[in-house]
Amino acid sequence: SWNWRDAGTEQTDTSTVIAISGGKVYDDTPTDLGGFRVVSDAQDLETSTRRLDGVEFFQKFYLVDGRNYKIYDPSVRTVTDWNATDDLTLPGGDGSTGTLGSGASDGNDRCSIITRFQGRIVMSGKSDEPQNWFMGATADALDWAIDGDIALGGAVFGSSGGLGELADPVTALAPAGDTRLIMGATNSIFAMTGDPSWESTRIVTLSRDIGIVGADAWCYGSNQTLYFMSENGLYAIQPNEYAVLQTNRLSMGKLDKVFRSFDFSSTHCRMVYDQHNYGVHIFLTPTRQRAEPQTHYYYDQRSNSFWPMEYPAIIG
């Protein structure tokens, strides 16, 4: 059955865009004609880190940089320390004891990768526990008690539950569809097949010799195809595939020498799917700004072809 409803043309869009510059959080809303505004004068996040990460969860934005945990609340335009409840702590320590927290710094490493999966916050990329992964309780960003009941949605870590840690350091977390979490590593790829509270959930190996080069080196395209960059080129995984082989490499025989020549330890790879042009932008940004123009690449899905894209050094 169909219902016709009239929408008020004067209704205000409440979406908020946030940006980080110089370690400070800026925001912008459609009703603010002044553009981006700094949320607070204090520096909240590290400026020396290669990247930072964040995820929206119940209308708040949770930020990580490997040294700090922060929460941005758009309803009151504040950035606060992200602390666990009661006597619990987040992996590595609460936000208040980070390098830029409100309390005395404990100097501990914290997670640098964050995403959502099955109604939970999932983190990894903790430099002193590189193979470990951490999941908070279902629908609760502040409950990280690993002694709770996992069957009822309690928190679970790779080092605390039966699923175990990965064999290699985690480099990327990519939720796939509704029930699969792709867990990229340096030289391997795994998939968590569901929520840890389900008895049937396992971590299965998709590849033992192909990895994902970084936390942003993946994106989703049409039909939930997962594109990702490995050390030897661009790959694609379909939603129901449970093996990643060299035959999944889209760049095979096209840009083999180009991609093998990249030093991904000094190049940050970020991928974005272009819904309008049906292709993947592969941005290969040096971690230090260079004087010469930088070459990035575009993969055209329709013609199965690669195109170099050159940008001036100031933005490339």
Side-chain angles (χ1 to χ4, degrees):
S1 64
W2 291 84
N3 280 320
W4 290 97
R5 296 174 182 258
D6 293 329
T9 57
E10 301 301 320
Q11 193 168 10
T12 302
D13 186 353
T14 57
S15 63
T16 300
V17 178
I18 70 169
I20 315 298
S21 179
K24 296 182 179 181
V25 178
Y26 293 75
D27 64 6
D28 180 35
T29 64
T31 57
D32 180 13
L33 301 181
F36 281 97
R37 300 179 298 167
V38 65
V39 175
S40 65
D41 293 330
Q43 180 179 330
D44 297 300
L45 296 154
E46 293 283 355
T47 57
S48 59
T49 184
R50 277 184 57 185
R51 66 179 296 277
L52 56 87
D53 205 351
V55 66
E56 193 229 345
F57 195 69
F58 289 97
Q59 297 181 318
K60 294 182 180 180
F61 207 81
Y62 294 81
L63 292 154
V64 301
D65 64 7
R67 294 289 184 180
N68 300 280
Y69 293 133
K70 298 288 182 177
I71 305 175
Y72 164 77
D73 187 342
S75 65
V76 291
R77 295 193 67 246
T78 59
V79 179
T80 57
D81 295 328
W82 176 14
N83 297 331
T85 53
D86 302 326
D87 58 346
L88 306 176
T89 59
L90 293 162
D94 279 341
S96 57
T97 55
T99 56
L100 296 171
S102 59
S105 173
D106 56 19
N108 293 341
D109 294 315
R110 287 162 171 77
C111 293
S112 59
I113 304 172
I114 186 171
T115 190
R116 283 182 318 201
F117 178 66
Q118 292 291 321
R120 300 172 182 261
I121 285 183
V122 189
M123 298 195 292
S124 192
K126 194 166 176 284
S127 61
D128 58 348
E129 297 181 72
Q131 291 96 347
N132 210 353
W133 50 270
F134 311 89
M135 279 192 182
T138 300
D140 192 343
L142 308 182
D143 183 355
W144 295 81
I146 57 176
D147 56 354
D149 191 341
I150 298 175
L152 297 177
V156 56
F157 300 171
S159 55
S160 70
L163 295 175
E165 301 180 35
L166 300 193
D168 294 322
V170 179
T171 57
L173 296 173
D178 295 327
T179 60
R180 194 162 72 150
L181 177 65
I182 302 298
M183 309 173 83
T186 50
N187 296 296
S188 52
I189 301 176
F190 304 86
M192 185 179 292
T193 60
D195 190 272
S197 63
W198 306 344
E199 290 186 4
S200 60
T201 295
R202 300 288 185 271
I203 293 181
V204 298
T205 303
L206 303 188
S207 176
R208 294 190 182 277
D209 61 350
I210 299 168
I212 301 178
V213 298
D216 301 310
W218 61 273
C219 66
Y220 279 104
S222 56
N223 301 318
Q224 295 187 347
T225 300
L226 174 65
Y227 297 94
F228 68 89
M229 181 62 67
S230 187
E231 289 185 343
N232 65 344
L234 180 69
Y235 286 76
I237 311 176
Q238 300 305 318
N240 296 320
E241 280 189 286
Y242 275 89
V244 180
L245 308 172
Q246 292 297 333
T247 53
N248 292 80
R249 180 153 50 105
L250 301 173
S251 57
M252 181 181 291
K254 298 183 175 70
L255 290 172
D256 294 336
K257 291 179 66 176
V258 171
F259 288 131
R260 285 197 182 107
S261 68
F262 273 99
D263 178 11
F264 287 104
S265 64
S266 61
T267 303
H268 183 74
C269 179
R270 175 181 287 276
M271 291 168 48
V272 181
Y273 187 74
D274 191 325
Q275 299 282 355
H276 179 71
N277 294 306
Y278 300 98
V280 179
H281 292 277
I282 306 169
F283 297 109
L284 299 164
T285 307
T287 54
R288 292 181 178 273
Q289 185 172 327
R290 298 174 185 171
E292 68 275 9
Q294 296 302 306
T295 300
H296 308 271
Y297 292 89
Y298 179 75
Y299 170 70
D300 191 315
Q301 177 184 344
R302 292 172 293 186
S303 63
N304 190 28
S305 58
F306 288 82
W307 300 84
M309 308 288 286
E310 188 175 277
Y311 294 89
I314 191 66
I315 63 171

